[in-house]
Amino acid sequence: MNLTLKVWRQNGANDKGRLESYQVKDISPDMSFLEMMDVLNDQIIVEGKDPVAFDHDCREGICGSCSMFINGEAHGPGRGITTCQLHMRTFNDGDTIYIEPWRAAAFPVIKDLVTDRSAFDRIIQAGGYVSVNTSGNTQDANALPIPKDDADKAFDAATCIGCGACVATCKNSSAMLFVSAKVSQLALLPQGDPERTTRALHMVEQMDKEGFGNCTNTGACEVECPKEISLENIARLNREYLRASVNPDK
Amino acid sequence: MSVLDSKIPSGPLAHKWTHHKDHVNLVNPANKRLIDVIVVGTGLAGSSAAASLAEMGYNVKALCFQDSPRRAHSIAAQGGINAAKNYQNDGDSTFRLFYDTIKGGDYRSREANVYRLAEVSASIIDQCVAQGVPFARDYGGLLDNRSFGGVLVSRTFYAKGQTGQQLLLGAYSALSRQIAKGKVEMLNRHEMLDVVLVGGKARGIIARNLVTGEIERISAHAVVLASGGYGNVFFLSTNAMGSNVTAAWKAHKKGAFFANPCFTQIHPTCIPVSGDYQSKLTLMSESLRNDGRIWVPKKLEDVKAIRDGSKKPVQIAEEDRDYYLERRYPSFGNLVPRDVASRAAKERCDEGYGVNKTGEAVFLDFSSAIMRYGKTEARIRGIENPSTDQVRALGEEVVGNKYGNLFQMYEKITDDNPYKTPMKIYPAVHYTMGGIWVDYNLQTTVPGLFATGEANFSDHGANRLGASALMQGLADGYFVLPYTIGEYLASDIRTGKISTDLPEFEAAEKAVRDQLNKFINNKGTQPVDFFHKKLGRIMWDQCGMARSAEGLTKAIADIQALRKDFFANVRVSGKLDELNPELEKAMRVADFIDLGELMCKDALERNESCGGHFRTEYQTEEGEALRDDVNYAYVAAWEYTGSPADSILHKEDLKFEEVELKQRSYK
Ligand SMILES: Cc1cc2nc3c(=O)[nH]c(=O)nc-3n(C[C@H](O)[C@H](O)[C@H](O)COP(=O)(O)OP(=O)(O)OC[C@H]3O[C@@H](n4cnc5c(N)ncnc54)[C@H](O)[C@@H]3O)c2cc1C
Ligand code: SF4
Ligand code: FES
């Protein structure tokens, strides 16, 4: 199929940026969206121009690198997928496709479709861990049985890939879904229990400091999240945060 | 006498590691604060090492080329991690894991290293659970296990099909904690482009800040390479797009010997290639072989009917299917090791039985498992005389619980529903057993330069067993390197900061700049991938699943010609001082070309078949790999002397004291 692409081009954080138009031809429906972008880039390079920069690595929906806002949706049409898992069979011959970066104050554009998401790392650094050192002497892994249901819920929350689609989708650019996923995972497991209170407080504090917006429960994040992280986690984070604020010493 | 000293401790195998740990030099906590360590890479091997070294008190600088340490390629590992816990009470033990790994590796790895790996495996699981890694559990709340190829016990721990993700996020959380404390300085979007040697010791690196393009000098008392494997030399592989050999290759050029480069793992169960535009291949985890049966039709007319769409796979009668692994290897069946399964698939497809348009695919079928689980489930739920549809629905639920995300991934890529029709799979490049040569302390032939994880060659011989790479990465990073590096650093407590103004840094930086500028100023016409794809084709055809002296000789000449073509005709757009992914790729492909040549040379040198290295001249009558233990029971460690063509081979003889060398049999 033949397509018209309107791609966001921006040379660094200080450039204003603009949409540029490109034509690509003979795109196979079996190609992934990023393979289509490869075709575009090879074409641009042969013309002697600057290819479109975009983040990607695993190309199988797990590393969280890829991050394109396609036709007004984070990771494009389709539910439960990342941009790299989007296939061209979703589109029709002759379509015009708009491709933009994540847009959020806390994710400044570095170049074209590449943004700086290091704010997420700093939120994890604020408390998204269990304080245990490496040693050969932690207790035996089976010494503490964990109800399957809790383990499964913790796992579901832990599948967040840190892509930032939730933020890009949210009209307030809130990072609540991301933060709640990590807080939930650790709150549901006995290993995370001792630091439950400080964790919730510190991570939320860092989130605010990074310039993410407030959550107004629109639920758009859950819809666009490629890992289908549930809004229940936000409810749990709110409970954890409340519990921590009421009883900060615990 | 070999120049290689593996530093294997003396004493009985089972006591070597404990004894070594008890006698290794220690650095006192106050002195650790005076010592800097660079860790290149934040996959399982790098994150775990960086976090552990920082906890111990060293000042760590860690690098990754992604925008966050959490995105390292380890994140993509699916199936699981081995450990000799014997939770299933099925006869597992440290010795058995050791033995399986040595045998699986076709007797081309070091006994002492492998035994140590098996020994620390149990601690890895304990450590990860303590960090909050949500492994799969059974209804009693205890950890669940599954089986992987090449073994007869159930020792693989998993978190659905996302085990690598969960383990890496565990290590990333430990790393994040140290970053918050200021003990690790994390350099994201930084690529190491050279090692700097001062007085013969590794004392730092040159790195490019991938956002600004700035070239940075970073000094330290020791450098750890945890930069992953080099499967992308084949262009198409299951590795992440950015996985590369540059860090390892630059170290090789500076004196680190490269061991067994030709030992590559071709994984039997990947989604087949669908077109020339393809940028990577997707693995379907080996865990699927627990429940999936591999087959092709027995009759060529059925093959034809499937290819032209006039018959569906489910319409092929049971007696007309050739479950060729079960036929050839009755005792291990679908769970033979990867190299064996891959070659068997190639054999069927070469004979014309491939089931897709390109003739390069076989079926992986879950229908028996679905019905079997469905029946059990119906019994558990007390459903009397369930209908076939009911049984199938229940069975699909069970299978969905085990492999749901893999099935979903498959369907997204191929648009086929694997619950209803068998998957189509074909072997693809997946892992590299070869890598930087290291001694028992994980130190390379350059003093102060260490290598861990997939970047080193140490534990998997000529073939890696499934679920053992994650185990090795974390063993190296959490439990081995933090001890063994002390042996070296103990003599550095009075050295003081290493200055980056030394002439050695100056010279290394200049060389890096020159190479980058050469690419930017080249007046070529073709993008980098054009050359990378050509290289991949040569490697896959001549240095892939089957190799021959004739093919390898031709490949070497072809690669040498490709190198000339590449440097003359590559076009790298953009500038040096900005984010420039094409420039990054060009630097990596230059090193892949060199490596490819060395791999072919190594494969040509090894006149035997073992594990993933299959030389068509050396096979048994049944087509199995034919080893030559008299002449080739050694590690081939290559020394760089100016070009891959001139590299010098050093041999580390492998001594087997505990296991008897046998022809591997999975029949
Ligand atoms: C799809 C897939 C599934 C797998 N499943 C399993 C499984 O189920 N079980 C199992 O045991 N194994 C599995 N493996 C193998 C296993 O995942 C890898 O061998 C292992 O994760 C490698 O870890 P590592 O830490 O050595 O390297 P990587 O995880 O590859 O990390 C490399 C790091 O080095 C950095 N780096 C590289 N070069 C440079 C440079 N020049 N400068 C700066 N940084 C650099 C990268 O940024 C990255 O952080 C799988 C592999 C694949 C491809
Ligand atoms: S919660 Fe979902 S959308 Fe947000 S970062 Fe995690 S995976 Fe991405
Ligand atoms: S490239 Fe890794 S999630 Fe898309």
Side-chain angles (χ1 to χ4, degrees):
Chain A
M1 48 188 162
N2 300 330
L3 302 163
T4 303
L5 307 175
K6 305 264 184 193
V7 185
W8 187 259
R9 303 304 308 261
Q10 179 175 347
N11 207 350
N14 299 326
D15 182 13
K16 258 188 33 220
R18 72 221 72 85
L19 280 171
E20 269 178 36
S21 219
Y22 301 91
Q23 305 292 326
V24 285
K25 297 206 171 63
D26 301 326
I27 296 300
S28 151
D30 288 331
M31 276 184 191
S32 72
F33 197 83
L34 297 186
E35 283 166 348
M36 186 277 294
M37 293 298 290
D38 293 341
V39 171
L40 170 68
N41 273 345
D42 278 357
Q43 184 178 311
I44 296 179
I45 293 165
V46 171
E47 285 166 10
K49 303 206 185 92
D50 202 14
V52 180
F54 60 89
D55 270 324
H56 67 109
D57 199 20
C58 73
R59 294 206 177 185
E60 51 188 58
I62 193 75
C63 73
S65 295
C66 63
S67 43
M68 295 183 190
F69 215 69
I70 301 165
N71 286 346
E73 284 184 87
H75 297 302
R79 295 290 162 257
I81 54 169
T82 53
T83 302
C84 59
Q85 291 176 299
L86 177 64
H87 279 73
M88 296 314 290
R89 62 179 85 93
T90 323
F91 298 93
N92 299 311
D93 186 34
D95 278 0
T96 298
I97 307 176
Y98 286 83
I99 309 168
E100 294 170 81
W102 282 177
R103 297 197 190 278
F107 292 162
V109 171
I110 294 176
K111 186 178 178 186
D112 300 338
L113 305 173
V114 176
T115 59
D116 178 354
R117 288 171 285 182
S118 53
F120 270 9
D121 283 332
R122 290 187 292 274
I123 293 176
I124 298 293
Q125 286 155 23
Y129 47 76
V130 172
S131 294
V132 53
N133 278 1
T134 309
S135 83
N137 304 315
T138 40
Q139 70 172 352
D140 183 86
N142 259 352
L144 191 62
I146 300 174
K148 182 169 167 48
D149 195 38
D150 288 348
D152 287 350
K153 277 203 193 114
F155 170 80
D156 287 343
T159 58
C160 162
I161 56 175
C163 64
C166 44
V167 175
T169 299
C170 176
K171 66 179 172 53
N172 309 319
S173 301
S174 164
M176 278 294 271
L177 196 62
F178 169 77
V179 176
S180 72
K182 187 48 75 183
V183 167
S184 289
Q185 176 203 341
L186 296 176
L188 282 159
L189 296 171
Q191 288 83 6
D193 194 57
E195 295 167 287
R196 241 171 124 155
T197 320
T198 47
R199 177 177 308 116
L201 287 175
H202 291 165
M203 288 179 72
V204 168
E205 193 184 317
Q206 187 66 33
M207 171 178 80
D208 293 343
K209 217 153 89 187
E210 296 288 350
F212 292 102
N214 290 326
C215 173
T216 52
N217 292 313
T218 58
C221 52
E222 184 190 45
V223 179
E224 290 297 338
C225 170
K227 296 295 138 183
E228 301 176 318
I229 301 291
S230 150
L231 285 178
E232 272 174 40
N233 292 301
I234 295 190
R236 191 176 295 105
L237 170 57
N238 285 331
R239 286 198 300 276
E240 290 293 315
Y241 188 75
L242 189 69
R243 186 180 140 174
S245 325
V246 172
N247 195 359
D249 300 331
K250 204 201 145 252
Chain B
M1 226 325 259
S2 173
V3 295
L4 295 163
D5 179 3
S6 58
K7 303 221 173 78
I8 295 170
S10 56
L13 187 62
H15 297 162
K16 284 183 197 292
W17 177 233
T18 316
H19 185 265
H20 190 61
K21 267 197 306 187
D22 288 346
H23 294 85
V24 87
N25 285 325
L26 294 180
V27 181
N28 119 12
N31 287 331
K32 289 203 185 95
R33 269 179 256 133
L34 307 175
I35 292 180
D36 304 327
V37 181
I38 294 170
V39 179
V40 181
T42 59
L44 286 178
S47 290
S48 57
S52 304
L53 291 169
E55 286 163 11
M56 293 165 83
Y58 297 110
N59 307 310
V60 177
K61 290 191 180 120
L63 286 83
C64 69
F65 61 75
Q66 292 91 346
D67 68 328
S68 161
R70 67 180 290 154
R71 304 202 204 283
H73 164 61
S74 294
I75 200 92
Q78 301 173 351
I81 176 166
N82 289 329
K85 278 283 197 188
N86 194 28
Y87 284 158
Q88 306 304 324
N89 195 22
D90 52 7
D92 201 8
S93 64
T94 299
F95 184 84
R96 208 175 274 276
L97 173 53
F98 153 76
Y99 180 81
D100 287 344
T101 309
I102 292 273
K103 174 184 170 194
D106 219 356
Y107 308 93
R108 289 294 173 266
S109 43
R110 251 188 227 146
E111 278 190 343
N113 285 57
V114 176
Y115 195 88
R116 173 176 67 189
L117 176 64
E119 207 176 332
V120 302
S121 66
S123 301
I124 298 174
I125 303 303
D126 299 341
Q127 182 67 31
C128 294
V129 166
Q131 290 169 343
V133 170
F135 284 118
R137 289 176 183 268
D138 60 23
Y139 286 100
L142 300 176
L143 294 166
D144 196 16
N145 291 112
R146 49 168 65 142
S147 297
F148 260 56
V151 306
L152 296 172
V153 294
S154 214
R155 64 159 76 99
T156 305
F157 295 78
Y158 67 99
K160 279 212 180 143
Q162 282 130 285
T163 317
Q165 180 194 28
Q166 296 310 317
L167 294 173
L168 183 61
L169 293 181
Y172 162 74
S173 71
L175 176 66
S176 296
R177 178 168 162 247
Q178 296 307 314
I179 296 172
K181 289 186 174 172
K183 286 305 293 178
V184 175
E185 183 187 340
M186 186 63 225
L187 301 164
N188 299 335
R189 294 198 198 266
H190 272 68
E191 181 142 356
M192 167 191 146
L193 294 176
D194 209 357
V195 194
V196 181
L197 267 52
V198 179
K201 294 179 175 175
R203 290 301 197 191
I205 61 169
I206 304 294
R208 180 165 176 266
N209 177 328
L210 301 180
V211 175
T212 62
E214 229 169 298
I215 310 295
E216 297 173 12
R217 302 176 187 183
I218 307 168
S219 73
H221 298 89
V223 177
V224 180
L225 297 183
S227 49
Y230 51 82
N232 279 345
V233 64
F234 290 86
F235 187 73
L236 285 181
S237 83
T238 61
N239 289 10
M241 299 299 289
S243 297
N244 69 89
V245 78
T246 289
W249 194 258
K250 298 296 197 231
H252 175 54
K253 284 178 131 177
K254 285 282 171 84
F257 291 7
F258 209 105
N260 299 334
C262 81
F263 287 172
T264 315
Q265 177 159 82
I266 316 271
H267 196 295
T269 56
C270 303
I271 301 180
V273 176
S274 67
D276 321 325
Y277 50 80
Q278 194 124 8
S279 58
K280 76 156 283 177
L281 295 169
T282 305
L283 174 76
M284 286 288 109
S285 165
E286 177 159 311
S287 58
L288 294 172
R289 286 199 272 143
N290 272 292
D291 287 313
R293 299 176 69 196
I294 296 179
W295 63 277
V296 292
K298 273 188 191 154
K299 301 186 199 147
L300 282 170
E301 70 219 47
D302 284 340
V303 172
K304 200 168 151 274
I306 285 177
R307 286 194 198 169
D308 66 25
S310 59
K311 255 191 189 174
K312 296 218 161 58
V314 289
Q315 294 169 319
I316 310 285
E318 202 49 38
E319 62 274 16
D320 291 332
R321 300 176 175 195
D322 177 12
Y323 293 96
Y324 58 84
L325 289 177
E326 297 170 29
R327 167 171 60 80
R328 287 179 65 179
Y329 307 100
S331 88
F332 282 70
N334 291 293
L335 282 173
V336 291
R338 293 174 174 177
D339 53 333
V340 177
S342 289
R343 269 198 298 280
K346 180 176 185 321
E347 188 275 334
R348 283 294 77 195
C349 292
D350 287 352
E351 293 299 310
Y353 291 90
V355 295
N356 67 351
K357 288 205 179 73
T358 61
E360 294 198 324
V362 298
F363 289 127
L364 177 62
D365 196 331
F366 296 89
S367 51
S368 318
I370 287 175
M371 297 312 282
R372 190 178 69 240
Y373 285 125
K375 279 187 200 131
T376 316
E377 198 59 22
R379 211 169 302 132
I380 294 172
R381 298 196 192 174
I383 307 173
E384 277 174 43
N385 302 320
S387 68
T388 314
D389 285 348
Q390 249 179 323
V391 171
R392 183 170 303 122
L394 289 169
E396 284 179 5
E397 210 180 299
V398 176
V399 168
N401 272 331
K402 289 185 147 185
Y403 312 112
N405 74 314
L406 297 171
F407 277 42
Q408 215 182 7
M409 197 193 271
Y410 181 85
E411 187 169 357
K412 274 171 201 157
I413 295 174
T414 62
D415 220 12
D416 269 348
N417 178 348
Y419 292 100
K420 306 291 178 204
T421 182
M423 287 183 177
K424 285 183 198 147
I425 50 152
Y426 198 67
V429 173
H430 179 59
Y431 180 88
T432 48
M433 282 75 69
I436 298 284
W437 185 91
V438 288
D439 64 17
Y440 190 74
N441 290 329
L442 305 181
Q443 183 163 234
T444 70
T445 46
V446 175
L449 182 65
F450 295 77
T452 61
E454 195 174 336
N456 74 24
F457 89 106
S458 76
D459 296 344
H460 308 293
N463 173 57
R464 174 175 70 78
L465 289 181
S468 287
L470 303 184
M471 169 172 73
Q472 184 222 333
L474 290 180
D476 286 357
Y478 284 137
F479 299 117
V480 180
L481 183 86
Y483 284 100
T484 58
I485 202 170
E487 176 87 352
Y488 174 79
L489 291 173
S491 62
D492 255 330
I493 51 178
R494 286 197 188 76
T495 309
K497 271 253 171 272
I498 311 286
S499 162
T500 53
D501 294 331
L502 292 167
E504 288 86 347
F505 276 92
E506 181 98 40
E509 180 184 326
K510 179 167 182 309
V512 166
R513 264 183 207 286
D514 289 350
Q515 201 194 355
L516 289 163
N517 278 318
K518 198 166 147 199
F519 280 125
I520 293 283
N521 298 329
N522 208 38
K523 299 273 176 287
T525 49
Q526 294 292 347
V528 179
D529 279 355
F530 172 83
F531 301 95
H532 195 175
K533 284 182 184 172
K534 279 194 173 179
L535 175 67
R537 195 71 242 178
I538 302 173
M539 295 302 292
W540 179 246
D541 288 345
Q542 311 299 357
C543 200
M545 271 190 282
R547 303 153 175 195
S548 69
E550 194 192 347
L552 290 164
T553 313
K554 181 171 176 308
I556 291 174
D558 289 350
I559 294 172
Q560 290 169 347
L562 180 68
R563 181 186 292 113
K564 286 206 187 93
D565 190 17
F566 172 70
F567 283 104
N569 296 317
V570 71
R571 162 174 241 147
V572 177
S573 30
K575 296 193 287 284
L576 190 62
D577 57 354
E578 62 175 7
L579 180 70
N580 188 340
E582 279 300 300
L583 182 59
E584 294 164 28
K585 280 202 270 184
M587 294 291 281
R588 292 171 189 165
V589 169
D591 294 332
F592 276 138
I593 292 176
D594 277 0
L595 167 77
E597 185 178 345
L598 187 68
M599 286 170 74
C600 293
K601 186 170 164 156
D602 184 48
L604 186 59
E605 218 285 324
R606 193 170 276 279
N607 291 311
E608 65 162 350
S609 294
C610 59
H613 170 65
F614 192 74
R615 283 279 301 270
T616 52
E617 303 96 320
Y618 308 99
Q619 50 181 311
T620 65
E621 266 166 32
E622 297 99 50
E624 305 294 339
L626 190 63
R627 275 194 344 255
D628 176 354
D629 292 330
V630 177
N631 296 303
Y632 292 94
Y634 62 72
V635 175
W638 295 91
E639 178 183 4
Y640 187 84
T641 58
S643 83
D646 302 325
S647 295
I648 298 172
L649 174 64
H650 297 273
K651 298 176 185 175
E652 178 200 338
D653 288 324
L654 292 167
K655 291 185 201 69
F656 293 90
E657 287 164 0
E658 240 11 81
V659 299
E660 185 194 341
L661 275 74
K662 287 195 199 144
Q663 193 199 329
R664 262 188 333 164
S665 169
Y666 294 95
K667 290 203 185 284

